[in-house]
Amino acid sequence: MSVVSVPVDQEGMVTDLGVKAAPRARAAVVTPAHQSPLGVSLALPRRMALLDWAAKNKAWILEDDYDGEYRYVGRPLPALKSLDREGRVLYSGTFSKVLFPALRLAYLVVPETEVERFEEVNQAWGPGSPQLTQTIVTTFIKEGYFARHIQRMRKLYGERRELATAGLTSVLNKHVSIDLQPGGMHLILRLKAQRSDRRLVARMLEDGLYGEALSDWTDRSDEGPAILVNFTNIGSQRAAEALGRRILKVMA
Ligand SMILES: Cc1ncc(COP(=O)(O)O)c(C=O)c1O
């Protein structure tokens, strides 16, 4: 594959620039619910422009809806796939974020006409998913447990997101600003000083704290340093403040 990266702004992937950079691309890989890793949602006009491009060029759109269920502001957004009149979207989702990663279970929704081809390729190349795991997850969904689980987790994570943001901001306000996006499972701490985010996450790791450097997620030089930190296991504002103080220490 020859991969072309596309800039992202507050409305998600800048579709026009993508089309300009690679008008004849065979496929576009997108995370419309929450762009990975910036967390912004793809705006409706851009969704339409992307679908239009794919229809005209007979290109595929691979929609990776890896955490669309975790939206804390308003209702979950409909998938890009739901606007797909021409059958150009391959919709993929995973149970890694909404149940747990060790399940190793994901799914792909393809246009009716492609099902046979995908089944063949999957049989030849795919590692397969155990029937037992699939049956258990199916029952879990059918009997309503999954929907209830998602509702509970959305509420819990929504609260933790607020507490984590408040706690980290109160300690780190001088050094970072936090991008609060509508969904996802991590916060983006933008560093106010021009310092290396890679070095900072390396130092955090030495202190037993896990974060990721935004620089490792982009090939753009104008994005600025930032660290990605998960908030879903932070149970109180005090815990967030304690973590903030540890980050502050490694920043020194
Ligand atoms: C962008 C993106 N897509 C998909 C996934 C899910 O990957 P998997 O189902 O292999 O755990 C993740 C998990 O972190 C992700 O960040």
Side-chain angles (χ1 to χ4, degrees):
M1 279 191 290
S2 158
V3 180
V4 175
S5 63
V6 182
V8 172
D9 65 15
Q10 277 309 308
E11 303 203 324
M13 185 177 87
V14 188
T15 324
D16 288 357
L17 293 180
V19 171
K20 219 188 226 165
R24 315 226 40 91
R26 302 273 306 279
V29 179
V30 288
T31 44
H34 311 126
Q35 196 273 341
S36 173
L38 294 176
V40 290
S41 304
L42 189 62
L44 187 60
R46 296 209 179 153
R47 290 176 183 235
M48 302 314 289
L50 194 61
L51 289 165
D52 196 40
W53 163 80
K56 281 197 186 114
N57 289 279
K58 295 257 172 293
W60 294 111
I61 298 171
L62 181 56
E63 177 173 18
D64 178 2
D65 193 12
Y66 66 110
D67 73 347
E69 291 85 354
Y70 292 141
R71 190 177 171 87
Y72 314 108
V73 182
R75 301 169 66 84
L77 291 180
L80 177 61
K81 177 74 187 163
S82 67
L83 299 168
D84 179 27
R85 304 277 167 267
E86 307 281 334
R88 302 315 308 166
V89 179
L90 311 174
Y91 175 83
S92 68
T94 172
F95 289 102
S96 286
K97 302 266 190 201
V98 284
L99 289 176
F100 53 97
L103 264 183
R104 305 315 311 139
L105 203 59
Y107 45 90
L108 186 61
V109 181
V110 303
E112 201 83 45
T113 49
E114 302 295 324
V115 170
E116 203 178 316
R117 235 172 98 200
F118 271 84
E119 272 178 356
E120 270 172 28
V121 173
N122 191 38
Q123 272 169 16
W125 298 100
S129 302
Q131 205 80 46
L132 181 62
T133 315
Q134 292 190 50
T135 308
I136 293 168
V137 174
T138 305
T139 307
F140 193 71
I141 294 172
K142 273 196 178 151
E143 295 188 357
Y145 294 103
F146 183 65
R148 280 203 292 281
H149 171 70
I150 295 293
Q151 258 172 23
R152 269 205 307 270
M153 297 315 282
R154 195 182 292 139
K155 183 168 175 291
L156 179 71
Y157 287 170
E159 288 162 6
R160 290 186 170 178
R161 173 174 168 269
E162 306 257 319
L163 296 172
T165 307
L168 291 173
T169 304
S170 76
V171 177
L172 295 170
N173 198 24
K174 260 209 215 133
H175 304 276
V176 307
S177 62
I178 299 184
D179 276 11
L180 206 53
Q181 300 302 356
M185 297 170 79
H186 65 266
L187 299 174
I188 298 187
L189 276 49
R190 302 252 177 205
L191 307 183
K192 291 184 178 171
Q194 276 305 321
R195 57 184 296 161
S196 162
D197 49 9
R198 289 192 175 114
R199 215 166 306 139
L200 181 58
V201 295
R203 293 197 59 186
M204 282 168 61
L205 203 57
E206 280 168 18
D207 193 46
L209 293 169
Y210 186 77
E212 289 188 25
L214 186 60
S215 305
D216 285 332
W217 284 79
T218 182
D219 57 9
R220 290 165 62 105
S221 53
D222 58 350
E223 193 58 64
I227 53 174
L228 279 52
V229 293
N230 194 294
F231 62 78
T232 51
N233 61 348
I234 301 178
S236 67
Q237 184 163 339
R238 266 179 66 188
E241 285 165 2
L243 288 165
R245 280 192 291 274
R246 285 174 64 185
I247 296 175
L248 193 62
K249 217 169 92 196
V250 298
M251 273 181 162

